[in-house]
Amino acid sequence: MAQTTGNGRAGGKGAQLRAYLLGLIDGELKPHEKLPTERELAESFGVTRLTVRRALDQLGYEGRVYRTQGAGTFVSEPRIAKSVELTSFTQDMRARGLVPGSLETQVEEIPAGAEIGARLALSPREHVAHLFRVRTADGEPMCIEHTYIPAKIAPGLAARAIEGSLYQLLTETYHLKVEKAEQSIHATVLDPPLAKLLGVPEFSPAFKVQRVAYDARNQRIEYAESVYRADRYSYDFIIYRTTRDTAN
Amino acid sequence: MAQTTGNGRAGGKGAQLRAYLLGLIDGELKPHEKLPTERELAESFGVTRLTVRRALDQLGYEGRVYRTQGAGTFVSEPRIAKSVELTSFTQDMRARGLVPGSLETQVEEIPAGAEIGARLALSPREHVAHLFRVRTADGEPMCIEHTYIPAKIAPGLAARAIEGSLYQLLTETYHLKVEKAEQSIHATVLDPPLAKLLGVPEFSPAFKVQRVAYDARNQRIEYAESVYRADRYSYDFIIYRTTRDTAN
DNA sequence: GCCGTCAAATGGTGTAGCCCAATTTTTTGA
DNA sequence: TCAAAAAATTGGGCTACACCATTTGACGGC
């Protein structure tokens, strides 16, 4: 059967509608201009209003549009900062218009040990692949990164040449898809060896980032510890008041 | 009629259901335990499955539960870190179990000037209320904060005694409710005067945070510039892969 | 025992339609 | 003329139902 189901594949009607709306948003419409009403979209796309609402709600949640009851849905101002998104270094740099790269990549397979084991919920004796990379943007050192991945979920990773996006490799080769990450960001200063690796003066300010990444099943996939030079990196994002929860 | 509308007020059925589910989550159920199925909840609460889904989706989005097609909905592990939420210093410290306070509060009304005016989209000549506060947690200096609020949306603010939560005051007195904020976080080191104010050694690491806050109508409410001591502060949050967008 | 197959359970997406709440626009009337 | 009232518009929330996609577990054959 060419068409297994009643809905037209290609990601479903919601996804098609979303694509169309995205086209409107950063194509024809300018910030604060009004999108078609839900009812109009529903009719012209031959879908239910609920489907339209889901697409618009999602865009609203992502900060692309804002919605006001009684008034309409409007295009948000161009995002000077992205909302907090889970991205790899590679994606992150590309989004900033820089060319990502790596220096001095080292890979080894080692026992997790106490700390890494705890982070990944492994026995200290279980093995992990340890990647050490100096990551670059437009050729300049940007970040020093230690990544640990349980050997049992990515066998043979340590023997593999890692180039480009680790996340892409994990997805394509091991079908491990990161869906969620806990991240902890600290401010620190660079001690001499790290400063040298990053090519900045000693005791320059820096971010230290620890991250535990999970897949959709809450299985821990990765623990990463990174140090970013602060002169070329900042965290820019949009935050929303989450839920009209209980008290203020 | 005792019940003006079809739905039973009190925040709507969805909100009631949400409250019940929250009770389950951090009450009776342990992490990774299974919640009732959508259909069960729908029946026992006398609501539609769609209503149940909205509540569960929301909880899933907040990281309280995770959902797997074909399997069920499960309680997430206790959140060691909150998802990124828009909070005031007051709320933030309370959430960390600390008692928030302020030292050396100063309030004045001044012309916005070039930089602040640009941040708040005001003419440089328009007036803003400027608050300077050394904010404390459990009595210890934690953060130095400059806050600027357009005088025209909060008249008389500069003459008022600010104590406790500015956001609460804005909501209750001026009906200004912050819904969204753009935030930019930098790592830096403390110059001697700031270090002294915070009671830490000179050139200690610190976060510099710039924030522009908006209400639901995209009106700019506040610009704040804060410096947090890094030895006692970190950003901990959970990030999700946003949308199954286009490419990886 | 072990592995495949198949059915049941469960979340994901969609249709069709109802009324409410907030906002905007139009009309009305002093 | 202009402000108050009414109507139309528009997003918010819900009901009731149908079918798809994925996962899980039980059953059977080997």
Side-chain angles (χ1 to χ4, degrees), chain A residues 38-240:
Chain A
E38 296 182 352
R39 290 172 174 86
E40 282 169 8
L41 286 168
E43 187 174 8
S44 64
F45 263 79
V47 299
T48 315
R49 219 186 112 206
L50 178 65
T51 303
V52 175
R53 294 197 96 255
R54 274 219 292 262
L56 287 173
D57 280 343
Q58 178 67 25
L59 290 170
Y61 168 63
E62 291 168 29
R64 309 297 301 261
V65 302
Y66 59 95
R67 324 191 66 197
T68 309
Q69 182 173 130
T73 302
F74 307 88
V75 177
S76 297
E77 290 203 33
R79 306 192 292 174
I80 63 157
K82 297 194 312 179
S83 149
V84 191
E85 286 175 14
L86 178 46
T87 57
S88 66
F89 180 87
T90 305
Q91 295 170 279
D92 191 11
M93 289 306 118
R94 286 201 182 120
R96 291 167 194 249
L98 305 171
V99 178
S102 291
L103 293 177
E104 309 205 29
T105 303
Q106 295 171 21
V107 197
E108 55 176 349
E109 191 169 317
I110 56 170
E115 193 203 329
I116 310 301
R119 301 283 188 181
L120 287 170
L122 297 174
S123 144
R125 270 192 292 277
E126 287 188 85
H127 279 212
V128 295
H130 169 213
L131 279 74
F132 170 79
R133 293 186 285 182
V134 176
R135 317 217 57 175
T136 61
D138 283 352
E140 268 206 76
M142 188 77 163
C143 151
I144 294 168
E145 192 169 71
H146 291 269
T147 308
Y148 304 88
I149 296 171
K152 65 181 174 189
I153 64 169
L157 180 64
R160 208 174 265 275
I162 313 284
E163 45 188 49
S165 175
L166 173 62
Y167 279 20
Q168 197 176 336
L169 176 66
L170 287 176
T171 303
E172 290 171 4
T173 306
Y174 299 101
H175 302 290
L176 295 171
K177 201 156 195 177
V178 172
E179 281 288 337
K180 183 181 93 169
E182 293 167 0
Q183 196 154 304
S184 182
I185 301 177
H186 299 258
T188 183
V189 294
L190 293 170
D191 59 28
L194 286 181
K196 194 173 176 192
L197 273 175
L198 287 173
V200 296
E202 299 179 359
F203 307 113
S204 298
F207 287 107
K208 193 173 111 186
V209 180
Q210 299 169 313
R211 163 154 86 178
V212 181
Y214 300 79
D215 67 7
R217 312 297 287 278
N218 260 35
Q219 179 185 219
R220 299 184 197 213
I221 290 184
E222 173 209 47
Y223 172 65
E225 223 175 277
S226 315
V227 175
Y228 287 78
R229 48 193 286 195
D231 60 336
R232 299 193 56 206
Y233 200 84
S234 67
Y235 283 89
D236 303 310
F237 50 86
I238 301 181
I239 48 184
Y240 295 88

Side-chain angles (χ1 to χ4, degrees), chain B residues 27-243:
Chain B
E28 305 165 37
L29 295 179
K30 282 181 291 190
H32 303 292
E33 283 192 343
K34 191 169 165 300
L35 291 164
T37 70
E38 296 182 353
R39 289 173 174 86
E40 281 169 10
L41 287 168
E43 188 175 6
S44 63
F45 264 77
V47 298
T48 316
R49 219 184 115 207
L50 177 63
T51 303
V52 175
R53 295 200 93 251
R54 273 221 294 262
L56 287 173
D57 279 343
Q58 180 66 25
L59 291 169
Y61 167 63
E62 291 169 29
R64 309 295 301 260
V65 302
Y66 59 94
R67 324 191 66 199
T68 311
Q69 181 173 136
T73 302
F74 307 87
V75 177
S76 297
E77 292 203 34
R79 304 192 292 175
I80 63 158
K82 298 193 312 179
S83 150
V84 191
E85 286 175 14
L86 178 45
T87 58
S88 66
F89 181 86
T90 305
Q91 295 170 279
D92 191 10
M93 289 306 118
R94 287 204 182 116
R96 291 166 194 249
L98 305 171
V99 178
S102 291
L103 293 177
E104 309 204 30
T105 302
Q106 295 172 22
V107 198
E108 55 176 350
E109 191 170 317
I110 56 171
E115 194 203 331
I116 309 301
R119 302 283 188 182
L120 287 171
L122 296 175
S123 144
R125 269 192 294 276
E126 287 188 84
H127 278 213
V128 295
H130 169 213
L131 279 73
F132 170 79
R133 293 186 285 183
V134 176
R135 317 219 56 174
T136 61
D138 283 352
E140 269 206 77
M142 188 76 164
C143 151
I144 294 167
E145 192 169 72
H146 291 269
T147 308
Y148 304 88
I149 296 171
K152 65 181 175 190
I153 65 169
L157 178 65
R160 207 173 266 275
I162 313 284
E163 45 189 47
S165 175
L166 172 63
Y167 278 21
Q168 197 177 335
L169 176 66
L170 287 176
T171 303
E172 290 170 3
T173 305
Y174 298 101
H175 302 290
L176 295 171
K177 201 155 194 176
V178 172
E179 281 288 337
K180 183 180 94 169
E182 293 167 0
Q183 196 155 306
S184 182
I185 300 177
H186 299 258
T188 183
V189 294
L190 294 169
D191 58 31
L194 287 179
K196 194 173 177 193
L197 274 174
L198 287 173
V200 296
E202 298 179 358
F203 307 112
S204 298
F207 287 107
K208 191 173 113 187
V209 181
Q210 299 169 312
R211 165 154 84 176
V212 180
Y214 300 79
D215 68 5
R217 312 298 287 278
N218 260 35
Q219 179 184 221
R220 298 183 198 212
I221 290 185
E222 172 210 46
Y223 172 65
E225 223 175 278
S226 317
V227 175
Y228 287 79
R229 49 192 286 193
D231 59 336
R232 300 193 57 205
Y233 199 85
S234 66
Y235 282 89
D236 304 311
F237 51 86
I238 302 181
I239 47 184
Y240 296 88
R241 201 165 64 88
T242 45
T243 34

